[in-house]
Amino acid sequence: MKYFKLLTLSMLSLAMLFSCSNVQSKDNGKPSELQASDILKKIRKGEKIAYSNAIVYGDLDFSDTDEWVLTSASHVTVDIAQDIFFQNCVFMGKVSSYSILKDKKGKSLPMKKKVRFGGNVCFFNCDFRDEVDICEANIMNDMIFSRSTFNKKSSFSRVLVNGSTCQFTEINANEFFLFANNTIRGNLNFMDAHFSRNFVLSELTATDLILNNASFDGKFELSNSTLYGIVQFNY
């Protein structure tokens, strides 16, 4: 019964995101084309980020801004207040949330740039042609990558998701997929996901873990994790 409640909540969260997002797309049905740098400019201006049926060129690095706050001796934090919403989009470059701080001359400094997302982070039914590296991120609400395809190595590490759900349902991971050292306040859902290569799920802290009907062509490792609720496997 609890499993079906989790599934219902996941679908409701997706429905709420779709209904609340004023999605930008072309009326003729053809995908729009835009540069990742244009998206970053909108983020810096505090404008709404909601795209559907688009092709994004260039690397989308959410930490790529000079506006940050010093939060520790080794970290600065980039604050993104608005929801991030992409549906049916293709990303030709890398997607990341972490970088090394540099001075005005471009020299690397011994400090990391982390991102705090104040809203939801949603990439629904998206196609990632290059690497995805969501690292050192603090997400105040939900994180959703459901029905997306990862064509290169993908890494989610040291991420804190404060919302009720973190969804990777029906994803296709065609290369190595790492999900390590993350804290999920709610449920983590990989239902109906397919992993063509190795999938490492380690040092996880979460309430519930759903892996119903997930398939693995490579090795699957679940280790050093703490789960406070249910763990659901069904093959």
Side-chain angles (χ1 to χ4, degrees), residues 19 24 60 62 104 113 123 125-126 164 189 197 200-201:
S19 62
Q24 299 183 27
L60 181 59
F62 289 104
K104 294 181 179 180
K113 293 175 71 176
F123 292 82
N125 197 33
C126 291
S164 62
N189 196 336
R197 300 295 179 91
V200 176
L201 182 59

Side-chain angles (χ1 to χ4, degrees), residues 142-202:
D142 296 339
M143 180 169 72
I144 297 173
F145 279 82
S146 294
R147 296 188 183 178
S148 293
T149 299
F150 300 85
N151 291 290
K152 294 288 182 69
K153 175 185 175 182
S154 300
S155 176
F156 294 80
S157 59
R158 298 183 295 281
V159 177
L160 170 61
V161 179
N162 293 282
S164 62
T165 188
C166 180
Q167 295 187 49
F168 290 81
T169 56
E170 299 181 68
I171 67 167
N172 283 294
N174 295 324
E175 292 294 338
F176 177 71
F177 197 94
L178 175 67
F179 198 90
N181 200 17
N182 298 313
T183 299
I184 313 299
R185 301 293 191 198
N187 72 82
L188 174 60
N189 196 336
F190 283 99
M191 186 176 68
D192 293 319
H194 177 71
F195 299 89
S196 298
R197 300 295 179 91
N198 294 350
F199 173 33
V200 176
L201 182 59
S202 66

